[in-house]
Amino acid sequence: MSLPLHSRVPHGPIERLWDQARFEMKLVSPANKRKHTVIVVGSGLAGASAAATLGELGYNVKCFCFQDSPRRAHSIAAQGGINAAKNYHSDGDSVFRLFYDTVKGGDFRSREANVYRLAQISLNIIDQCVAQGVPFAREYGGTLANRSFGGAQVSRTFYARGQTGQQLLLGAYQALERQVDAGRVSMFPRTEMLDLVVVDGHARGIVTRDLVTGRIESHAADAVVLGTGGYGNVYYLSTNAKGSNCTAIWRAYKRGAAFANPCFTQIHPTCIPVSGHYQSKLTLMSESLRNDGRIWVPLQPRDQRPPNQIPESERDYFLERRYPSFGNLVPRDVASRNAKAVCDEGRGVGETGLGVYLDFSDAIQNLGADVIRERYGNLFDMYQRITDENPYQVPMRIYPAIHYTMGGLWVDYYLMSTIPGLFVIGEANFSDHGANRLGASALMQGLSDGYFILPYTVGDYIANNALGKVDASHAEFARSEAAVAGMTKRLLAIQGHHTVDSFHRRLGQIVWEYCGMSRNAPGLETALGEIRALREQYWSDVTVTGSADDLNQSLEKAGRVADFFELAELMCIDALHRNESCGGHFREEYQTPDGEAQRDDDDFSYVAAWEFQGTDQQPLLNKEPLHFEYVHPSQRSYK
Amino acid sequence: MRLILQVWRQKGPQARGRMVRYDAGDVNPDMSMLELLDVVNEELILKGEEPIAFEHDCREGICGSCGFMINGIAHGPLPATTVCQLSMRHFRDGQELYLEPWRAKAFPVLKDLVVDRRAFDRVISAGGYITVPTGSAPDGNSILIPKEDADRAMDAAACIGCGACVAACPNASAALFTGAKIAHLGLLPQGQPERHERALRMVRQYNREGFGSCTNIGECEAVCPKGIKLEVIARMNRDYIQAIWQRR
Amino acid sequence: MATAVADRFYTSTIGKKAVMAVSGCILFLFVVGHLIGNLQIYEGSEKLNRYAVFLRSLPAALWGVRIVLLVMVTLHVWSSVQLALRNLEARPVGYVKKKPTESTYASRTMYWSGPIILAFVIYHLLDFTFGKVNPHFQPGNVYGNVVASFQVIPVSAFYIVAMLLLGLHLYHGLWSMFQSLGFSHPRYTPVLRRAAAVAAILIAAGNISIPVSVLAGIVR
Ligand SMILES: Cc1cc2nc3c(=O)[nH]c(=O)nc-3n(C[C@H](O)[C@H](O)[C@H](O)COP(=O)(O)OP(=O)(O)OC[C@H]3O[C@@H](n4cnc5c(N)ncnc54)[C@H](O)[C@@H]3O)c2cc1C
Ligand code: HEM
Ligand code: HEM
Ligand code: SF4
Ligand code: F3S
Ligand code: FES
């Protein structure tokens, strides 16, 4: 059975679609809202803003997160900034330009109507956050400051030092806590969603595990919202927080929600390189560093000299050389791939040979160390803390790392998945970034979804569906609880010889090797075989200590890694089927003569939405064709 | 290098705990404190023992999940650094490290080094926000804020809610944490209408949670990974005293 | 209404601290005034005794001051005890290892220095005001009483220790009270801290000079 993928985009001129959709939506009467329960899983930018707004509207909201406090969701780590087409600098920005840049940056694999709406709403987000007290950077005159970011040619990025995500999240968290105080939102921290409950084809609740007591519990609702973030940790090493996982969306996928474009993952070019096998995560150095730093490697392979002894003439500023007009500011996918290419040629630097220099000596010479300190001081300190090297004196070493996942559960224009009543927001959905996300646009999307879109569309769904009463005593809940408890028991019973982390690390190596920065068909086939074999071994040889009924971090990890195994397989299947290169998905077989991604718009201008058929069954491919009426697909060029 | 760890192990909230000694043989100086615990834990798991529970998430010093005492200092000896960013090169070969959870009545131990910090959420919930319904905000530039005020508000807003201030304070006071939020919002024009109410409500909650009172000792400031200044405590006191005064 | 406000104020930790700060400040002013009066001892017995007589000639003022002092001590002590109990409760399980980093010794020992000062004041009153512990006590001869007391080495030693503790108490208390009342300024607070230290040292030194001078035979 293939799924009907109705995007439900209204008809009309693009700039009027969202108004029109809102006008056509049915409303829930204020008196009735309280009677409707909405579950929001996730307290990141997307989840917290949605839960706060739904609570404010009067719904009975239950919000879940696995951390000990909603304020710790991974959004907190975003550094660089958030885009908005405010055009405060009169430098030619507009809603249309932001829309255009985002569609093009996504390499024409996103839905135009969604992206346009995102660009429109970007304006309201900044206003909302300022009113909440987010301390955005200011000019001396008291107006909001902007910078240009991630290769944009206009200054549209708003920021709060290097802690924009933190400040935006704290704004949303405070709004959420306000609703907790008002009794409209019940917060469930340290509670992990382990299953979605579908009754008569509608999402009607979730099953969770209390991470302190181990209790398995059911929560019924009229609608379920997932804002559970990205799945970059499938690679083990990533810039994501250690707890970031795919469990919520994966289990929803197994209950029938289509998973879109799973192979679209983003590699960030400026991360601190791996230094040893004990490495547990990779640290991102903000993209803004590329505004002043110059990226280079030695011209000669295996040049072991320290950087300051390599004369100018023996350095290869490869981005400036290949992309004279964008230089070091090319989009992330392009910068990352080029870094990998020079390292593959043996010209990488550092002990592992997996690194390139990001050199500030010219900037320091031209602008002075103080200006550089003012701009990047905290980043330089962080770099020094981790590497013990002083970037004011020696060039930084950086290497690409997995950072963001554009893929996620498929949603329509109303952010509803293929399961009625299941909504997906933030990084967890596939929506707005196509095959490559531009810098400073994930925060924008999370807040746009959570504050300004979802609260309307959930209401429309509730108003349009006469949902019968279902509570946690329904048999479906009992079945899910049993399944969840069964899986826990199974993991604890294996008592094998290898730790969860060691499996995760090996899985990560396979995915990074074959489904990372560049991919090819034979490699993906190999990966599929290796992943399946390792998954089998996992289920017979992993060891999880402790018990199911107390705080057990190994057990938490074990469940998440089990899901990563299955997701990794789907990613490879998706990457293998997409016989083109686009954005972050670079298939070596499909490149232009000078090594750029070669899209195939005739055959692949669609969203690949995969439908679960059983754990060892080939998933079913559904296609949502993409039409571009406003931004004409062209070969991206940054030369 | 080699390190000796003395770690507080406690099975559950009600269980009795004790210090247990572990030998960490093969320590790479570039490892972070948490990566060292990862390595120790891997060995424990393979021996069939339960790993040391500790809280962590971002591992880049921003989420505020991590934190424990290292030799009696919250987040360890390096100033302005959380344990997830503390690399082992700051210790001597053969050094003995005592790892203990935050200790406060308001932060009960859940397991090993993990404590329950929900009291912080409740303090924020009591008033640590600006009441602004979604969608009703004026244009961002309609409120001009002098750069200096915005910068000072940002300094206070940088708090990551880790709890080190409470852990280090001889009185287990949460004054720095509470003051940081009151200062952040109170320094901005948007925060003025609720300034007094906020101070009253947040302080009341902070007292209810069983935190101690501040006697201006200053340990909190010294261990705070985000460099929050004692000034925020004075601000909290001022707002609170003014609020009482004005509400006679 | 007003009592309700006062009650709400006092029930909070910040309210109690404000009470401590104000009472502490008034006690501090007394200590300064008392020191200035006592330093007349260097001008001979007549001058000091005349000063004592003068004070007694103004019974209303004297009793006014005494009552204020008594109220302030009561408030200061009462709130410190309540806060101390609360703070003890706030950490039921202590650390195996705890290392202070940047705080001053004075700030960490307020709950020791304070009560010892209280004990000192009680002894002090028995000594000079009621003459109960001083076998050579002569009502009216303040100068003689002081010299007689301080010639006993253990008494002098106790005074000196108490004065050191008072200095310590003020070393922290004199800037802390500004913080408690909500005054803090990036430029002035460091200056204030230094001024507090200087004042504390001067007060301790001034007071200590008296028993030392008696022992050294400078004041006889
Ligand atoms: C280092 C870094 C820097 C970045 N910088 C920028 C930037 O400068 N600009 C930008 O626009 N974007 C940036 N991004 C991307 C952006 O931060 C994220 O895409 C975005 O914050 C995701 O928000 P979210 O709300 O979707 O999910 P998250 O913030 O990841 O929140 C997920 C939530 O779901 C909960 N959750 C997950 N699974 C479960 C479960 N099973 N049960 C219960 N709860 C669950 C978690 O507890 C958490 O509350 C950055 C990302 C990283 C990693
Ligand atoms: C002459 C006598 C005293 C003077 C001048 C004095 C002065 C002060 C001052 C100025 C403070 C600072 C208040 C603040 O930070 O807000 C203080 C604090 C304190 N005093 Fe005293 N004090 C005196 C006697 C006492 C006595 C007798 C006790 C105890 C029984 C005591 C116990 C304390 C304590 C515990 C504090 C610290 C409390 C805190 O900062 O919260 N003091 N004192
Ligand atoms: C070495 C230093 C000191 C000397 C020589 C000294 C001396 C005296 C004398 C002689 C009296 C009796 C005065 C009279 O009856 O007329 C007196 C009273 C008193 N002193 Fe001191 N004193 C000293 C330090 C202090 C200190 C540090 C404090 C407080 C902390 C203090 C508190 C008092 C009080 C409360 C009285 C009673 C005042 C009254 O009668 O109302 N003294 N002192
Ligand atoms: S004030 Fe500092 S120490 Fe306290 S919670 Fe905030 S960041 Fe942590
Ligand atoms: S250490 Fe404690 S006493 Fe106050 S100044 Fe800091 S909270
Ligand atoms: S793990 Fe996030 S601050 Fe340390």
Side-chain angles (χ1 to χ4, degrees), chain A residues 407-435:
Chain A
L409 293 187
W410 183 89
V411 289
D412 62 17
Y413 189 67
Y414 290 67
L415 303 180
M416 191 160 84
S417 71
T418 53
I419 302 177
L422 176 68
F423 294 79
V424 191
I425 56 178
E427 192 173 340
N429 74 22
F430 89 107
S431 65
D432 302 350
H433 309 293

Side-chain angles (χ1 to χ4, degrees), chain A residues 56 67 69 72 86 88 127 130 133 144 161 173-174 181 190 242-243 280-281 386 499 551 553, chain B residues 35 42 54-55 57-60 63 89 111 121 125 134-135 139-141 155 161 181 184 190 201:
Chain A
E56 192 175 274
Q67 292 92 345
S69 161
R72 308 201 200 284
K86 282 281 196 187
Y88 281 157
D127 301 341
V130 167
L144 290 155
R161 263 181 223 157
Y173 158 73
Q174 287 162 203
D181 187 50
R190 291 196 205 268
K242 289 296 282 177
S280 62
K281 79 156 275 163
I386 293 173
T499 62
L551 197 163
Q553 294 172 324
Chain B
E35 283 167 342
E42 290 277 284
F54 62 92
E55 198 115 49
D57 201 20
C58 72
R59 296 208 176 187
E60 45 189 72
C63 73
R89 70 181 86 92
K111 184 171 189 170
D121 288 333
S125 188
T134 305
D139 184 80
N141 261 349
D155 288 342
K181 188 46 66 193
H184 157 212
Q190 305 93 299
R201 299 190 55 187

